[in-house]
Amino acid sequence: MSTSERAMPPLVADERTTLESWLDFYRATLAQKCAGLPEERLREASAAPSGMTLLGLVQHAAAVERNWFRRVLAQEDVPRLFAPADGGGSGGGGGGEGEGHDGGFELAEDATYDGAVAVWEDEIRRGRENCAGRGLDDTSPFMGGEVTLRWIYTHMIGEYARHCGHADLIRERIDGRTGV
């Protein structure tokens, strides 16, 4: 994801354009928080006692994209991403029995930023494809009930906003860089 793609969401737009624009804004913000850092700094947990890293946040973003836009919305039978070696955790929060919130945060020894971004961008592309033919009020089965695309978009905006705050703090601790 290129940091030059980060555009301010329109101030006047229909609901769907507003939701999709804010989601894209936060996706680009996360990419921007990682820009220009060498691999070892992207793996650095800089805000002790948390073990959270920028690379882990990118992996987690890919995992939640897959979970919500493919596993929940489109009901695709695809495996979780970045499950911890012990088999615990989740691939992205919600959507299945026994799933937690930690998918992607743990880093495999061979995990790379370029690899994580490639997976993330692919999940974003597939998610957009799954959303394209649906209305905001269209539903999918979820946890014994139903969930709308509108709810998923709203949840994802909140997910990214929260984690962009984490990324901002981690980046500031690494090299002092701040700002949106």
Side-chain angles (χ1 to χ4, degrees):
M1 172 155 299
S2 167
T3 58
S4 63
E5 296 173 24
R6 187 171 163 260
M8 174 71 177
L11 299 176
V12 178
D14 63 87
E15 182 181 14
R16 186 179 192 120
T17 300
T18 299
L19 291 169
E20 290 175 347
S21 296
W22 274 107
L23 183 53
D24 284 341
F25 176 84
Y26 284 120
R27 287 168 172 154
T29 298
L30 180 56
Q32 192 174 61
K33 291 297 171 186
C34 298
L37 286 175
E39 190 77 30
E40 65 272 6
R41 303 306 301 265
L42 293 162
R43 299 177 70 87
E44 185 176 322
S46 66
S50 173
M52 193 175 292
T53 66
L54 291 170
L55 176 54
L57 285 170
V58 171
Q59 288 185 162
H60 180 68
V64 296
E65 292 277 351
R66 174 174 281 202
N67 188 66
W68 285 105
F69 292 123
R70 295 182 66 194
R71 296 178 76 206
V72 174
L73 180 68
Q75 297 291 294
E76 291 181 34
D77 185 19
V78 292
R80 295 178 292 162
L81 290 173
F82 310 113
D86 67 5
S90 82
E97 212 168 299
E99 303 218 359
H101 64 282
D102 57 348
F105 290 123
E106 293 182 26
L107 303 180
E109 280 188 42
D110 62 347
T112 66
Y113 179 68
D114 287 344
V117 168
V119 171
W120 183 33
E121 288 177 342
D122 187 56
E123 292 302 326
I124 291 169
R125 180 187 59 77
R126 289 170 181 262
R128 285 182 177 137
E129 290 171 0
N130 286 343
C131 293
R134 290 178 165 82
L136 292 176
D137 291 322
D138 287 359
T139 61
S140 294
F142 180 64
M143 296 181 66
E146 293 186 328
V147 64
T148 65
L149 176 57
R150 175 183 291 103
W151 190 97
I152 293 171
Y153 274 146
T154 303
H155 174 76
M156 289 294 290
I157 291 165
E159 179 86 12
Y160 270 99
R162 179 174 57 257
H163 291 314
C164 283
H166 295 135
D168 193 41
L169 176 61
I170 293 168
R171 180 64 188 252
E172 183 177 4
R173 300 274 304 180
I174 289 172
D175 67 1
R177 183 171 161 212
T178 61
V180 188

